[in-house]
Structure formats: structure tokens, C-alpha cells
């Protein structure tokens, strides 16, 4: 037996959860062969590689391409963390944790917890756009390099991070041809021709246009973003006209200097030209849309950007114009088109706004997302829950930007606090408790003492501190919450204060007192008509009541809570109710009923399953399997549970109600299974992909394919065919040759397979193929 808490936390085997996958590229990748090979080489000899260079030179594309090529060498894959929209360096660690699919349920500092969670992972982490967070990124990179010996970092920044051991590669512009005969070997020419062909079908490099193509690339000095912006002009100009106009523009720009234009000036001049070619409405929308963080949709653009000079009815056509000019990039999420700007383009556009206009836009932006959060608050506890959670996930960066702006003044912090309180359930369901706690601290500090949502923010902050086992902060905050509720006269806020206080005896295993306090809170919520608060209190009241002596009374409460959740059409907290009912049955010795309820909880949670909840359910199922003699299955699932516990930064032994049971079950396993068997099963469980672990917990015959799925699972027929070829050991080029497709198409299919199956490398695809053919191997 490896330790006395084996069934609590499993082993430190690799983590296989998929998170923060590499972003899809909107267009093909051109050139950079030497730079790509150099990045790959540096990643093999250094733990931190930083790509530096000016805006628009292609640092992000190079980092993404290199990561895509080398991720197979990392057992836990590669993840991409975008920092462009992050303004608060205090949220850096929680942003990285969220991208990695991790959480923090402990009292450790976020950095310490992240290091602990990653210390045995062999993974490549891409940190993109570090320049505005350089000190914080440097500190985090140093901590990860020191504490996580198998982790490799690839950063992009306009300056180096300045960390010991860092290898810096300055990303140059694309190669520019000196003479016309050299055009075929020039990356800048290849990029221009490919992008031109996208807007002018049939465009190609010919002897007639070769000299003009060379002049364009020389004028733009090989800056990829400049080339992409200029290529759009070929829809209305010949390449010769484009070259002439670029020469004129940059001659004026650099008058008095014999050398060519500086790259920053070149790009800015091209952006100036793009702006001049825009209609007045397009210029207005370009400038106003810079207030968005990340991406935005049409409804947001109409609400925030419409106004003087730009009627809401004309925003759609204006968006089309900016897409045509490559000012905006289009993507799609959940069947809805979304738009974003490259950071360089966004910064340029924002400079066109006066401070007064920018503030007015930020107010409109904040109020728009406040309205979304308030609708979420009203509607999320029902059948539209998954759609709402997905919408807020898509708008995460905008929600953060709205709260950042609100924290800049006392007057605005009141509305920021309202927004945060309204969206709290989003942070809970995603496990972003560290970020939520920080945002509460910032907004409570900025908001006036009489802010209407102050009591709510304080009791929620106290609850978060308690979940992080920070008792000293909890006591201070809950006292402040009680005083704020008294001063404001908010009866419901006072009931939530009492609800949070009930958690202390619950966590300390004083169940009779916990049952009494939770019951009193439930009655208070019922009197106020607060269904959500009432069901929250009753879930814990039922468990505490049953385990402290009134078994039938507790069962009745839990059955009633579960039924009421179902009647509401709600699934997230219904899953928690089923889990708590299952835990109750385990604690009173009805192991079969506990298994049934726990598995029902797993099936109910849906795609937004909370990792902490899944870890808790796994632990109950593991315990039931031990008590019913299925020891090998129990240890294997304990390995999967251990992976999840490390991801959320928690430990089941910290829940006093289960601590003795964990110790007893560990002794049972140690007495009946050999050390080698235990280690083998723990490692086997820890290596399971999330879908496989859930299938194992549900006792399905295949730990890969849930019951009822087609033989190909989530893959298309073509993807299944390619997965089979991967399993045969074929490379992407060999797959392309076999199927008569391009190598790029083969690579795209493999990327989709990895994403759909939540896997990290080709070896895991091969394992999936074998398991699909022989599901009995997982029994």
C-alpha cells in the first residue's frame, strides 16, 4: 500500500484531462520552416522558450504551429493560454489554472497549488501575449520551472521574461526577396499569393506581376499582419496599383530617412490606410468594438456600439465591411457568429477614441454584460441551464473586463458587485473559485459601505474562504456580512449568512448541530420564497439529519429535494442532491442504494459537470466497491479519483464526515490486495481519459464507449478511418498518401480526433482504437 490515503487521492501518475487545447488557425500556415525547427530544437533543450518581436510579426502563429508539431512528445499534451484580454496580474494564476482545467479547493496560495497540481505532468504550456504582465509572468514561469521538472513553457512577448534559463528567439519578419528571380523561395511572397488567391480566385504569381509582387513584399518588410491586411486590397486594385500606393504612402511616412520604414511605422501606416478606406460607419464600429475583450456577437455589437452615426439596424452590414477589410476576424460558437480583432488592430482602433468616448463605451459594455448576468441569475435554475452556462463561458473575458472597469471607481463598483453576485453560479459550476474570491475582494474594497449587494458579496466571500479552509478570513468576513445584513435590513441576506455558518459544524462533523442550523436556514428561505436557497439548505439538512440519527427523516428530505430539482428542470444542483443522498446511504450502510444514486448523479450532471462533484462521486463509488468486495475495480477508480482531486486542489480526507471511512477502506484493500496489484490498478485508473473514468464508475462494459453509442463514438466515419491508420503507426503524410488527401487535411482530422476523444497524443488514439475493437479488455 503506497500510503494511508490511497483511496482518497490515488497516485501521482499522469493526468489525462483535456483542457486548453491549441486554437484552430483561421487560415493555412505559410513559411517559417527554419524558425519552426529552431523553436522545436529549443524546446528540447530548455524549459522556457520565449518568442519575442514586434506586434504583427507572427509570434502567436509560430508558437501555435510549433506546439502543434511537438505536443505528441509530451505525455500530457500541449495547452494554450491566451493572456491578451487579462488586465489584472493577480488573476494570472487562476487564468492559467482555468485554461488547464484545474481548480483550487485548498488554503494554499494559488501558485503553490498550481505547482503541486503540475509537478508530475509532462506538458507543454503556451503563454501567449505576456508583455503587459511581464513581472507576474516571470514570477509564475520561475515557480513552474523550479517546482515542475517535466513541464516546458513556450511564451510569446514583445520582451523577454528575464527568467534564469530562459532561451529567447527573436521572431523576424518573413523573408523578403531581393530580386525578382528569387520570388519562389520567399515566404513573404508565398503568404501574399496565398492570401490574394483567397480574395481574388485564380490569383497566381506570374512573370507579368512578379516585379510588383516583389515591390509589395519589400514595402511591407515581410510583416505577416501587414501582408494579410494589404492582400485584401487586391479585391479592388491590381498588384501593380497596390505596389505603387504602398510606395507612395511609405515614402511620405519616412521622408528624410534613407533607410526603409521601421516595421512598426510600416504596420501603422497600413492600418492608417485601412482606416482611410473604411466608410465613416466602419471607422466608428472599429473604434467602438475595441471595448470588447476577446470575442463578441452581433447582439453585443448592436447594444454597445450603435449610436450617433451608426444606427443599430446598420451594424450588421458594417460588420461585413470590417470583415472584408480584415479588421475583424470571424469565428463561430454554438451556431452563432462571433467576431474578434487581433491585438495590434484593437490597440490602434482604441487610440481613435477620446477618453470621454472610451469611458462612455465601457459604461455601455459593462451595463450590457450586467443585463446578461441578471438574466442568467433569473433563468439559469431551470431547463435552459446548459445553454446559459455555455453562453457565460463564451463571454468570460467580457465579464471580467466589465468588472475590471467597475472596480475603477466607487460609483461604478456598486454595479460591478451586482454583476458578480448575479453571475456567481457560473464561477461555481466552472470551479473558478479563486478568481471569484479575488473579484469579490477587489469590488468589495471599491464599493461604498451602503452598496445594496454588499451583504451578498460578503457572505459569498466568507463561503469561498471556508471552502478554501481559510478559517481566519471566514470568521472576519462572516461577521462583516452579518453586520451588513443587519444595517440593510435584508432578511434573505441574513438567512444566507446563517446558511454559511451552518457549514462550520458540517465540515467539523458536528452533524446534529449542522442539521439544526441547515433546517432553520431552509425554513427561512421557504418563508421568503427563495427556492434555490431553500433547496441548497435542505440538501445538507437531509444528509446531516440522516447520519446523526433520523435516517428516515433525512431520506425523505433528500428524496423531496431531488424531486423538486427535477420538477424545475435543473440538473447541476440536482446532481449534487443525488450525490448527497448517495453519500448518506453509504454512510448508513446501504451500499447498493448508494451506488445507484451515485451513478444517477453522474448521468444527470450533463456536459457542465463540476470536477469537484465528480471527484466526490468517484470517492463514494470507490468506497461502496470496497465494502462489496470489488477491490480491484475500487482501486482503479481511486486512481481516476486521485487525478480529479489533484486537479481541483482538494482532498476527500479534509471532509471530516468521510475521514474515518477512507482510513478503514484503505486498510481493507491493503489487507487483501498485494502492493504490486494496488500500484498497477492505481496507475491504470490515473491514466484513464475523463470519458473512460466515468464509464468505469458507471460500471459499463466498455470504459471507452458509453452504452448506446455507435461503434465510432463521437467520431465521423472518416475520422474513425484515420484513427485506425494512426493505430497502425502511419504518419500524417503516410495517411494522406493512403487516402489521397493533403497532409494538412490529415493533420486537421487528427487534431479533431484528439479534441473529440479528449486525448493528447497518437499513442492514446491507438489505445482508443484497440479498446473499441476489444471492449472486454477494460472489464
Amino acid at each position: 500500500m503506497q500510503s494511508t490515503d490511497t483511496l482518497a487521492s490515488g497516485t501521482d501518475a499522469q493526468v489525462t484531462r483535456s483542457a486548453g487545447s491549441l486554437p484552430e488557425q483561421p487560415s493555412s500556415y505559410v513559411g517559417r520552416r527554419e524558425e519552426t525547427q529552431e523553436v522545436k530544437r529549443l524546446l528540447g533543450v530548455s524549459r522556457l522558450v520565449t518568442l519575442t518581436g514586434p506586434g504583427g510579426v507572427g509570434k502567436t502563429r509560430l508558437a501555435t504551429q510549433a506546439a502543434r508539431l511537438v505536443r505528441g512528445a509530451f505525455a500530457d499534451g500541449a495547452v494554450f493560454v491566451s493572456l491578451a484580454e487579462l488586465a489584472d496580474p493577480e488573476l494570472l494564476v487562476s487564468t492559467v489554472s482555468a485554461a488547464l482545467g484545474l481548480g483550487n479547493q485548498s488554503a494554499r496560495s494559488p501558485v503553490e497549488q498550481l505547482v503541486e497540481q503540475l509537478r508530475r505532468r509532462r506538458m507543454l504550456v503556451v503563454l501567449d501575449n505576456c508583455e503587459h504582465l511581464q513581472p507576474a509572468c516571470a514570477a509564475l514561469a520561475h515557480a513552474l520551472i523550479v517546482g515542475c521538472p517535466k513541464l516546458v513553457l513556450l511564451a510569446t512577448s514583445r520582451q523577454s521574461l528575464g527568467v534564469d534559463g530562459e532561451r529567447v528567439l527573436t521572431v523576424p519578419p518573413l523573408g523578403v526577396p531581393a530580386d525578382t528571380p528569387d520570388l519562389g523561395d520567399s515566404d513573404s511572397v508565398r503568404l501574399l499569393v496565398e492570401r490574394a488567391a483567397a480574395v481574388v480566385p485564380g490569383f497566381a504569381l506570374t512573370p507579368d506581376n512578379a516585379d510588383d509582387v516583389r515591390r509589395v513584399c519589400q514595402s511591407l518588410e515581410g510583416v505577416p499582419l501587414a501582408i494579410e491586411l494589404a492582400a485584401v486590397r487586391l479585391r479592388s486594385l491590381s498588384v501593380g496599383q497596390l505596389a505603387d500606393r504602398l510606395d507612395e504612402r511609405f515614402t511620405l511616412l519616412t521622408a528624410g530617412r534613407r533607410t526603409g520604414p521601421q516595421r512598426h511605422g510600416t504596420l501603422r501606416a497600413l492600418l492608417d490606410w485601412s482606416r482611410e478606406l473604411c466608410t465613416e460607419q466602419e471607422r466608428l464600429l472599429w473604434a467602438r468594438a475595441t471595448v470588447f475583450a476577446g470575442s463578441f456577437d452581433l447582439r453585443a455589437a448592436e447594444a454597445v456600439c450603435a449610436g450617433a452615426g451608426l444606427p443599430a439596424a446598420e451594424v450588421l452590414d458594417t460588420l461585413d465591411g470590417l470583415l472584408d477589410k480584415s479588421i475583424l476576424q470571424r469565428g463561430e460558437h454554438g451556431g452563432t457568429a462571433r467576431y474578434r480583432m487581433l491585438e495590434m488592430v484593437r490597440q490602434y482602433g482604441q487610440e481613435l477614441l477620446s477618453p470621454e468616448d472610451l469611458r462612455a463605451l465601457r459604461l455601455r459594455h459593462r451595463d450590457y454584460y450586467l443585463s446578461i448576468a441578471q438574466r442568467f441569475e433569473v433563468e439559469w435554475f431551470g431547463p435552459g441551464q446548459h445553454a446559459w452556462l455555455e453562453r457565460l463561458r463564451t463571454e468570460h473575458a467580457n465579464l471580467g473586463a466589465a468588472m475590471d472597469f467597475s472596480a475603477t471607481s466607487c460609483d461604478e463598483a456598486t454595479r460591478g458587485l451586482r454583476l458578480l453576485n448575479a453571475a456567481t453560479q457560473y464561477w461555481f459550476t466552472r470551479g473558478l473559485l479563486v478568481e471569484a474570491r479575488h473579484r469579490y475582494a477587489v469590488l468589495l474594497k471599491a464599493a461604498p459601505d451602503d452598496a445594496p449587494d454588499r451583504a451578498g458579496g460578503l457572505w459569498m466571500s466568507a463561503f469561498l474562504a471556508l471552502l478554501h479552509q481559510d478559517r481566519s478570513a471566514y470568521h472576519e468576513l462572516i461577521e462583516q456580512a452579518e453586520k451588513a445584513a443587519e444595517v440593510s435590513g435584508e432578511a434573505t441576506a441574513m438567512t444566507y449568512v446563517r446558511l454559511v455558518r451552518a457549514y462550520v459544524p458540517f465540515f467539523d462533523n458536528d452533524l446534529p448541530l449542522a442539521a439544526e442550523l441547515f433546517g432553520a436556514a431552509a425554513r427561512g428561505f421557504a418563508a421568503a420564497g427563495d427556492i434555490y436557497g431553500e433547496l441548497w439548505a435542505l440538501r445538507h439538512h437531509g444528509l446531516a439529519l440522516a447520519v446523526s440519527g433520523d435516517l428516515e427523516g433525512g431520506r425523505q428530505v433528500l428524496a423531496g429535494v431531488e424531486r423538486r430539482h427535477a420538477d424545475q428542470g435543473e440538473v447541476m444542483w440536482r446532481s449534487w442532491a443525488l450525490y448527497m443522498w448517495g453519500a448518506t446511504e453509504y454512510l448508513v450502510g446501504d451500499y447498493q442504494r448508494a451506488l445507484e444514486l451515485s451513478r444517477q448523479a453522474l448521468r444527470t450532471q450533463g456536459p457542465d459537470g463540476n470536477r469537484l462533484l465528480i471527484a466526490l462521486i468517484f470517492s463514494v463509488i470507490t468506497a461502496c466497491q470496497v465494502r462489496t468486495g470489488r477491490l480491484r475495480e475500487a482501486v482503479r477508480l481511486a486512481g481516476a479519483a486521485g487525478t480529479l482531486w489533484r486537479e481541483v486542489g482538494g482532498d476527500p480526507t479534509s471532509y471530516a464526515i468521510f475521514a474515518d471511512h477512507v482510513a478503514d477502506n484503505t486498510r481493507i484493500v491493503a489487507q487483501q490486495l498485494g502492493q504490486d496489484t494496488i500500484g498497477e490498478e492505481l496507475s491504470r485508473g490515473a491514466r484513464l481519459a475523463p470519458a473512460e473514468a466515468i464509464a468505469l464508475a458507471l460500471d459499463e462494459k466498455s470504459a471507452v464507449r458509453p452504452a448506446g453509442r455507435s461503434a465510432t463514438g463521437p467520431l465521423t466515419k472518416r475520422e474513425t478511418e484515420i484513427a485506425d491508420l494512426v493505430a497502425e503507426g502511419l504518419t500524417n503524410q503516410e495517411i494522406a498518401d493512403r487516402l489521397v488527401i493533403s497532409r494538412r487535411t490529415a493533420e486537421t482530422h487528427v487534431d479533431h480526433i484528439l479534441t473529440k476523444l479528449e486525448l493528447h497524443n497518437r499513442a492514446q488514439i491507438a489505445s482508443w482504437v484497440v479498446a473499441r475493437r476489444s471492449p472486454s479488455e477494460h472489464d
Side-chain angles (χ1 to χ4, degrees):
M1 204 64 179
Q2 296 185 359
S3 72
T4 59
D5 62 347
T6 298
L7 293 187
S9 58
T11 69
D12 285 320
Q14 69 178 21
V15 178
T16 58
R17 180 175 178 81
S18 176
S21 57
L22 298 175
E24 292 294 326
Q25 298 298 342
S27 55
S28 60
Y29 191 75
V30 177
R32 298 282 194 206
R33 179 173 300 178
E34 291 182 5
E35 292 91 339
T36 302
Q37 291 302 317
E38 179 62 8
V39 175
K40 290 172 62 178
R41 186 190 71 80
L42 290 174
L43 291 172
V45 299
S46 177
R47 302 275 313 291
L48 170 61
V49 177
T50 301
L51 307 183
T52 63
V57 81
K59 301 183 293 296
T60 298
R61 289 293 296 267
L62 175 58
T64 305
Q65 177 71 2
R68 196 177 298 280
L69 293 175
V70 303
R71 66 181 173 185
F74 294 87
D76 296 305
V79 296
F80 183 92
V81 186
S82 175
L83 303 177
E85 297 90 16
L86 181 63
D88 188 345
E90 292 294 325
L91 292 175
L92 172 63
V93 178
S94 61
T95 299
V96 174
S97 294
L100 291 165
L102 303 174
N104 192 339
Q105 300 293 137
S106 77
R108 287 182 173 182
S109 75
V111 173
E112 290 176 347
Q113 183 60 46
L114 182 60
V115 169
E116 174 61 24
Q117 290 165 326
L118 298 180
R119 64 190 176 92
R120 283 184 170 80
R121 290 197 186 193
R122 178 163 175 73
M123 173 183 285
L124 174 65
V125 177
V126 181
L127 299 176
D128 186 49
N129 284 110
C130 297
E131 54 271 0
H132 62 301
L133 302 166
Q134 192 270 343
C137 286
L140 176 59
H142 175 74
L144 291 175
I145 289 172
V146 171
C148 308
K150 299 180 181 180
L151 199 71
V152 176
L153 300 176
L154 174 60
T156 72
S157 177
R158 295 189 190 182
Q159 64 181 101
S160 65
L161 298 187
V163 177
D164 288 344
E166 177 185 26
R167 300 292 293 271
V168 178
L169 176 65
T170 299
V171 180
L174 297 174
V176 175
D179 298 304
T180 302
D182 299 328
L183 291 187
D185 298 327
S186 168
D187 285 343
S188 61
V189 169
R190 291 174 55 209
L191 178 62
L192 177 63
V193 171
E194 183 166 316
R195 297 301 186 260
V199 297
V200 183
F203 183 91
L205 181 66
T206 67
D208 291 336
N209 67 17
D211 190 58
D212 291 328
V213 167
R214 175 187 57 77
R215 287 198 294 138
V216 168
C217 292
Q218 287 179 337
S219 292
L220 299 176
E221 294 193 307
V223 177
L225 177 57
I227 292 172
E228 303 230 6
L229 289 170
V232 177
R233 304 272 59 80
L234 293 174
R235 183 182 284 113
S236 53
L237 298 174
S238 71
V239 69
Q241 290 174 307
L242 176 62
D244 290 342
R245 295 194 174 212
L246 287 174
D247 284 344
E248 293 170 6
R249 177 166 298 277
F250 296 153
T251 298
L252 290 173
L253 174 75
T254 60
R257 282 195 288 113
R258 295 184 178 181
T259 58
Q262 294 181 350
R263 291 179 189 110
H264 180 76
T266 299
L267 186 53
R268 185 171 187 85
L270 197 63
L271 288 167
D272 286 339
W273 188 22
S274 294
R275 178 173 175 267
E276 289 171 14
L277 292 170
C278 289
T279 66
E280 184 58 32
Q281 289 186 336
E282 288 169 350
R283 295 176 191 176
L284 287 172
L285 183 56
W286 180 353
R288 292 172 183 177
T290 62
V291 76
F292 291 105
S295 64
F296 60 95
D297 61 16
L298 174 61
R299 284 184 297 179
E302 290 172 337
V304 176
C305 301
L310 181 61
E314 298 181 23
V315 168
L316 177 57
D317 288 341
T318 309
L319 282 170
D320 285 340
L322 292 179
L323 287 169
D324 283 342
K325 295 174 176 63
S326 291
I327 302 304
L328 290 178
Q329 296 183 324
R330 182 190 183 279
E332 193 167 310
H333 186 89
T336 299
R338 294 187 67 85
Y339 314 95
R340 67 166 57 240
M341 292 181 191
L342 293 174
E343 184 64 13
M344 192 81 178
V345 177
R346 190 192 68 81
Q347 291 175 1
Y348 176 92
Q350 195 157 101
E351 291 175 4
L352 305 177
L353 296 168
S354 68
E356 295 77 18
D357 287 343
L358 180 58
R359 176 175 172 76
L361 281 166
R362 284 177 169 160
L363 281 168
R364 295 181 67 177
H365 175 273
R366 192 275 314 284
D367 289 345
Y368 176 73
Y369 286 101
L370 171 59
S371 71
I372 289 178
Q374 289 178 318
R375 283 187 56 202
F376 168 79
E377 183 179 34
V378 172
E379 300 177 15
W380 89 279
F381 196 69
Q385 190 170 80
H386 288 314
W388 265 115
L389 290 169
E390 184 59 28
R391 183 174 182 185
L392 262 64
R393 182 182 289 113
T394 304
E395 301 289 7
H396 183 100
N398 281 305
L399 292 169
M403 285 182 284
D404 287 340
F405 167 72
S406 298
T408 60
S409 74
C410 182
D411 292 340
E412 303 305 334
T414 296
R415 294 177 72 79
L417 196 54
R418 174 83 282 274
L419 190 160
L420 180 54
N421 276 344
T424 292
Q425 290 300 327
Y426 162 70
W427 268 266
F428 264 96
T429 55
R430 285 204 64 197
L432 303 176
L433 304 189
V434 172
E435 179 175 351
R437 191 176 176 189
H438 174 75
R439 291 201 177 279
Y440 270 116
V442 170
L443 287 167
L444 284 168
K445 182 178 180 180
D449 292 341
D450 60 351
D453 277 80
R454 189 169 191 83
L458 285 166
W459 71 252
M460 183 56 72
S461 295
F463 183 51
L464 291 169
L466 192 59
L467 291 180
H468 286 149
Q469 304 172 52
D470 188 349
R471 290 291 180 98
S472 61
Y474 158 76
H475 288 299
E476 180 180 349
L477 288 164
I478 202 67
E479 291 295 333
Q480 293 178 26
E482 186 166 355
K483 290 178 182 176
E486 288 175 351
V487 170
S488 66
E490 298 177 58
T492 302
M494 185 61 77
T495 306
Y496 275 105
V497 169
R498 293 174 182 139
L499 172 68
V500 174
R501 286 193 182 279
Y503 272 92
V504 174
F506 183 76
F507 286 151
D508 291 344
N509 210 19
D510 186 352
L511 297 183
L513 178 57
E516 177 184 342
L517 296 178
F518 280 124
R523 291 189 294 274
F525 288 126
D530 187 335
I531 296 175
Y532 169 71
E534 181 189 3
L535 294 178
W536 182 359
L538 284 175
R539 288 193 299 270
H540 294 80
H541 174 63
L543 188 155
L545 195 65
V547 179
S548 62
D550 187 357
L551 177 57
E552 289 308 313
R555 282 172 168 165
Q556 289 178 13
V557 170
L558 288 165
V561 168
E562 190 276 331
R563 184 170 57 253
R564 290 177 65 185
H565 276 288
D567 290 344
Q568 292 284 328
E570 192 274 339
V571 296
M572 286 302 302
W573 291 108
R574 183 186 175 203
S575 298
W576 278 93
L578 286 164
Y579 152 71
M580 298 184 79
W581 191 359
T584 297
E585 297 297 348
Y586 165 76
L587 291 169
V588 300
D590 191 340
Y591 304 127
Q592 190 56 44
R593 183 63 174 143
L595 279 170
E596 292 171 0
L597 290 164
S598 298
R599 287 169 177 159
Q600 187 181 351
L602 269 183
R603 294 187 181 98
T604 298
Q605 64 175 337
D608 294 301
N610 182 283
R611 293 187 305 282
L612 173 60
L613 174 60
I614 296 173
L616 287 164
I617 294 172
F618 279 7
S619 295
V620 171
I621 294 175
T622 293
C624 290
Q625 289 174 329
V626 171
R627 297 304 174 105
T628 56
R630 300 182 62 180
L631 301 184
R632 290 180 70 104
E633 293 93 332
V635 178
R636 192 184 316 169
L637 188 57
T643 291
L644 282 170
W645 282 114
R646 284 189 298 280
E647 287 186 359
V648 300
D651 180 353
T653 60
S654 64
Y655 296 80
I657 194 172
F658 296 118
D660 291 342
H661 291 266
V662 170
D664 290 342
N665 290 336
T666 299
R667 283 193 293 271
I668 292 171
V669 171
Q671 290 167 1
Q672 299 188 39
L673 292 182
Q675 182 72 27
D676 291 344
T677 299
I678 291 171
E680 177 185 338
E681 292 295 347
L682 284 171
S683 296
R684 187 176 178 185
R687 288 195 299 271
L688 291 175
E692 294 174 317
I694 289 176
L696 176 64
L698 293 175
D699 200 25
E700 294 174 343
K701 291 301 180 183
S702 170
V704 173
R705 185 176 74 249
R709 278 245 177 122
S710 68
T712 62
L715 304 185
T716 65
K717 183 177 178 180
R718 172 63 95 180
E719 288 167 348
T720 303
E721 183 180 16
I722 289 176
D724 289 338
L725 296 177
V726 170
E728 292 179 21
L730 272 65
T731 66
N732 286 339
Q733 186 61 61
E734 290 168 338
I735 291 172
D737 295 341
R738 176 82 64 90
L739 300 179
V740 195
I741 59 177
S742 71
R743 183 175 65 83
R744 177 61 181 167
T745 299
E747 290 173 353
T748 299
H749 280 306
V750 172
D751 286 342
H752 288 170
I753 292 167
L754 290 166
T755 299
K756 287 184 177 182
L757 298 181
E758 298 186 84
L759 302 177
H760 298 297
N761 54 51
R762 300 171 78 91
Q764 289 178 331
I765 294 176
S767 297
W768 181 87
V769 170
V770 172
R772 179 169 55 88
R773 293 170 178 166
S774 307
S776 60
E777 293 179 13
H778 289 268
D779 291 349

